[in-house]
Amino acid sequence: PRTIHPVSLQAMSSTWLTPSEGIEYGIIVGMQGFGCVCCVLLWALQQLASQSVDGKELPQLEWVKDSGFWIVPMPFVPALMFYGVLWRNQLSQRKEAFAQSASKGNEQKKEK
């Protein structure tokens, strides 16, 4: 029989949240953020189109009334959170690498 080795949740989550080399997560976060803005905008337009002002509806927004278009870009919200964490980790790694290289540079200058 095959033995199954338990994988800790911490080890599994740490690999999921480790940025990959060569990927610029800031660009991805920007695109996901744009999708979130579109989602909120479509939701606001639908809410506005569903309201009547002084008993009159807005004919310009008839295309969005009760459409549910805002649901389509909704997956951008959790993706923004996920890639935001990856971007934050990437920036943290870069900052640590810069600090280490700066401290090594200072040590080399002191040795000379």
Side-chain angles (χ1 to χ4, degrees), residues 13-105:
S13 68
S14 69
T15 58
W16 284 358
L17 301 177
T18 303
S20 298
E21 290 293 321
I23 297 177
E24 190 61 46
Y25 289 100
I27 295 169
I28 296 172
V29 168
M31 301 286 278
Q32 300 295 334
F34 177 74
C36 290
V37 168
C38 290
C39 179
V40 170
L41 179 65
L42 288 169
W43 176 81
L45 286 173
Q46 181 177 344
Q47 295 302 313
L48 185 63
S50 298
Q51 306 292 325
S52 61
V53 180
D54 297 328
K56 296 179 183 177
E57 293 184 359
L58 300 172
Q60 302 90 337
L61 296 177
E62 191 65 35
W63 62 275
V64 77
K65 183 179 177 184
D66 301 326
S67 66
F69 287 151
W70 64 274
I71 294 173
V72 175
M74 190 62 164
F76 285 105
V77 175
L80 176 68
M81 289 185 232
F82 175 72
Y83 286 111
V85 169
L86 284 173
W87 187 35
R88 185 192 67 206
N89 291 345
Q90 185 180 52
L91 292 176
S92 176
Q93 287 177 356
R94 287 180 182 171
K95 186 176 180 181
E96 288 175 10
F98 180 74
Q100 286 177 354
S101 67
S103 67
K104 285 182 183 178

